[in-house]
Amino acid sequence: MGDDRRVARTLLARQGSTYAEDAGITLADRPGPLYQLLVLTTLLSTRIRAQVAVAAARELFAAGWRTAQAMEASGWQDRVDALGRGHYRRYDERTATMLGTGARLCLDRWHGDLRRMHRETGGEPAALRRRLTEFPGIGPTGADIFLREAQTVWPDVRPYADRRTLAGAKRLGLPADPHGLAGLVAAPDFGRLASALVRVALGEESAGEVTRTAAR
């Protein structure tokens, strides 16, 4: 266990930010940041590099579309152009449509406030996953992305470890189950650990380098 904790600490020191933080989202249990996470999730759900999705999210937010109201009011071509500035060109038109439709759904169903979704489901992860997959472009993998990041502000979802998180844990020789991983870090740090493990699974971080550094 001591060695596992050392590996986890080393990984957090090297890859301590979540994807939401990389996208400029100051995640909090408030309507704006939670909607921004939904946007980032939509972008990450396509077959495109995570860094490109993060850059595209930054462009959308820089344009002022940080709430469901603002996104729904934006023009389709303006969304396409913002995605293009983030080099999100392969799926730009389709994604621009999904962002507009998703914003409308968020407003109609949850009044632009995903805390309502959280309350309605009682914070139960399986129920939250079902609700999230109702948004266009978000399937089971996308729902996992959202909950993996949202657990930093929704403690009742924690510890949430999706298949990519567990794949990264296996590469590092760490426990391949959520509760085993949760025992390696303080509870508030688990969301950061989950994101860092995804980076290992995706090859953004070297498992070998992490373990070698931890052993020094």
Side-chain angles (χ1 to χ4, degrees), residues 56-78:
R58 282 184 167 274
E59 290 293 338
L60 292 167
F61 302 149
W65 307 324
R66 290 180 168 270
T67 65
Q69 291 89 340
M71 186 68 77
E72 201 270 339
S74 66
W76 178 84
Q77 187 61 55
D78 291 331

Side-chain angles (χ1 to χ4, degrees), residues 89-125:
R89 296 192 178 93
R90 192 171 163 195
Y91 304 99
D92 53 354
E93 295 186 354
R94 175 173 172 266
T95 302
T97 298
M98 290 191 302
L99 289 171
T101 305
R104 184 71 260 162
L105 175 61
C106 187
L107 290 167
D108 289 345
R109 184 83 183 268
W110 311 111
H111 303 281
D113 185 354
L114 293 176
R115 294 177 302 180
R116 291 171 178 260
M117 178 182 69
H118 184 221
R119 287 195 296 269
E120 181 181 292
T121 60
E124 207 282 312

Side-chain angles (χ1 to χ4, degrees), residues 17-40:
S17 64
T18 63
Y19 287 101
E21 289 169 337
D22 288 351
I25 302 169
T26 303
L27 199 56
D29 192 23
R30 299 198 306 272
L34 290 171
Y35 175 71
Q36 292 157 34
L37 178 58
L38 185 72
V39 169
L40 176 62

